[in-house]
Amino acid sequence: MNRYKINEVFQSIQGEGALTGVPSIFVRIQGCPVGCPWCDTKHTWDINPDDERSADDVMAEQGESSHWFQSSFDELMALFAREGYTAKNVILTGGEPCMFDLTELSSQLIARGYGVSIETSGTFEVLTHPDTWVTVSPKVNMKGGYDILDSALARANEIKHPVAMERHVDELKALLTRLPEGAAPLIYLQPISQQARATELAIKHCIENNWRLSLQTHKFIGIE
């Protein structure tokens, strides 16, 4: 039985990408070595044994914390029930969830009638059920030194690229040349940190390239 290191579980509305507006249960998995400087979940990077807590303790915390708990699938389902979650889509996020083999977890969720999506940097192989919706948000030349994998790009249902300057758009165009023949993921540009200049840049290139704009709408409306 697999056990998963989980930083946070909550129910909300997806605010980004193709599933914007979809009620979802977010399962935030602990651990990420990629090192994005603008990351808004840096508290999930390290898996420190001293930070392990019970699920009840972690769920009772308010605000960001590096604490995490271990959970089996059955324990996770019991947590969903206790919390009264009604959403039928589960988003596996992080951290970097694809550090781990998510085939069993995603398959069990799908067997229970949930839709499943994964948000990944594209720096680890995506091991998941075939029906999982995979969002690759490529993190190029980050501090951790990880390359974007061709296998992750090929598995993407959508590529949601963070941008703040022209070189980020150039990086995306270079990545798209590596897609296998016939691959047609949805392409989104997402302004980093909602900066005005980044938003203007994203709009310009979405129009020029017939891509889509992803805004972090949850931040605009003040939800998690």
Side-chain angles (χ1 to χ4, degrees):
M1 179 187 301
N2 285 334
R3 297 186 66 78
Y4 307 95
K5 295 176 175 61
I6 297 174
N7 174 272
E8 186 179 23
V9 181
F10 62 95
Q11 181 172 250
S12 188
I13 298 289
Q14 171 62 295
E16 305 175 3
L19 299 180
T20 294
V22 175
S24 300
I25 302 167
F26 292 76
V27 178
R28 190 176 303 284
I29 297 174
Q30 188 79 9
C32 182
V34 178
C36 305
W38 63 81
C39 178
D40 56 8
T41 57
K42 291 182 179 180
H43 57 283
T44 67
W45 287 7
D46 297 323
I47 303 176
N48 186 338
D50 293 337
D51 284 335
E52 184 175 1
R53 299 290 188 274
S54 71
D56 288 343
D57 285 346
V58 171
M59 293 296 294
E61 290 181 342
Q62 301 293 321
E64 297 177 352
S65 171
S66 60
H67 296 154
W68 53 273
F69 65 93
Q70 293 203 52
S71 177
S72 67
F73 174 76
D74 289 340
E75 289 166 342
L76 188 62
M77 290 299 96
L79 188 155
F80 286 7
R82 287 197 306 272
E83 295 294 321
Y85 294 153
T86 56
K88 298 302 291 182
N89 186 62
V90 175
I91 297 175
L92 304 177
T93 186
E96 173 45 75
C98 290
M99 287 175 59
F100 310 98
D101 187 337
L102 300 173
T103 305
E104 180 180 318
L105 177 58
S106 58
S107 297
Q108 289 174 317
L109 285 166
I110 288 169
R112 292 287 186 96
Y114 290 96
V116 178
S117 58
I118 290 174
E119 297 182 348
T120 176
S121 63
T123 57
F124 289 83
E125 186 176 0
V126 182
L127 302 174
T128 189
H129 187 281
D131 291 342
T132 302
W133 181 269
V134 176
T135 300
V136 173
S137 184
K139 303 303 190 296
V140 181
N141 296 325
M142 294 294 117
K143 182 179 179 181
Y146 289 84
D147 294 327
I148 308 300
L149 301 183
D150 287 345
S151 63
L153 293 172
R155 181 60 183 82
N157 298 100
E158 66 176 317
I159 295 175
K160 177 164 58 68
H161 194 58
V163 296
M165 55 191 71
E166 286 285 349
R167 70 174 176 84
H168 296 140
V169 178
D170 294 338
E171 290 169 352
L172 173 60
K173 289 180 177 179
L175 289 173
L176 296 181
T177 66
R178 294 164 49 188
L179 289 173
E181 184 176 355
L186 302 176
I187 308 299
Y188 285 84
L189 295 184
Q190 183 163 294
I192 293 175
S193 301
Q194 312 297 311
Q195 299 169 17
R197 289 180 60 188
T199 302
E200 293 172 4
L201 177 71
I203 291 170
K204 171 180 177 289
H205 282 284
C206 283
I207 293 172
E208 289 180 359
N209 295 280
N210 201 29
W211 295 335
R212 303 182 182 200
L213 181 68
S214 172
L215 298 177
Q216 295 177 296
T217 55
H218 54 290
K219 294 183 178 180
F220 284 105
I221 62 178
I223 62 174
E224 189 170 9

